[in-house]
Amino acid sequence: GTEYDGTSATLNIEIDAQDDSGYVKVVEIEINGQLQASVDTTIPYAFNNVTLPKGQYTFITQRPDNLGNATASAAVTVGVGQE
């Protein structure tokens, strides 16, 4: 994973989402298992100015498509202020 020094970090997260059987309808992001309120419906998919306090975080994206299928990304971990 990626590590950031300090007591907090503000991230801009870009997501490359594609679908072989249809088209990506929306991109959702989970942080530590909690679905976030914001979603992105336009390319390039991004979540900007995500501020995280000190701690360890796991990010997973969900990509529902127009056919009702959903695909989850591999988990990405980020540490803020971890020693």
Side-chain angles (χ1 to χ4, degrees), residues 3 5-7 9 14-15 19 24 26 33 35 44-48 53-54 56 59 61 64 66 73 78 81-82:
E3 297 291 327
D5 293 332
T7 57
E14 295 180 11
I15 299 157
D19 189 272
V24 174
V26 64
L35 185 62
Y45 302 105
F47 296 88
N48 295 317
K54 185 175 180 178
Q56 190 74 19
F59 294 83
T61 60
N66 63 309
S73 69
V78 173
Q82 304 292 297

Side-chain angles (χ1 to χ4, degrees), residues 6-77:
T7 57
S8 68
T10 300
L11 309 178
N12 293 324
I13 303 166
E14 295 180 11
I15 299 157
D16 179 21
Q18 301 173 9
D19 189 272
D20 293 335
S21 63
Y23 63 86
V24 174
K25 194 167 149 183
V26 64
V27 173
E28 305 165 332
I29 191 167
E30 292 181 11
I31 302 175
N32 288 349
Q34 298 295 315
L35 185 62
Q36 302 302 295
S38 62
V39 299
D40 196 343
T41 58
T42 57
I43 298 171
Y45 302 105
F47 296 88
N48 295 317
N49 299 313
V50 177
T51 301
L52 302 171
K54 185 175 180 178
Q56 190 74 19
Y57 301 91
T58 300
F59 294 83
I60 296 174
T61 60
Q62 300 283 340
R63 301 178 305 274
D65 69 13
N66 63 309
L67 303 174
N69 303 312
T71 304
S73 69
V76 174
T77 58

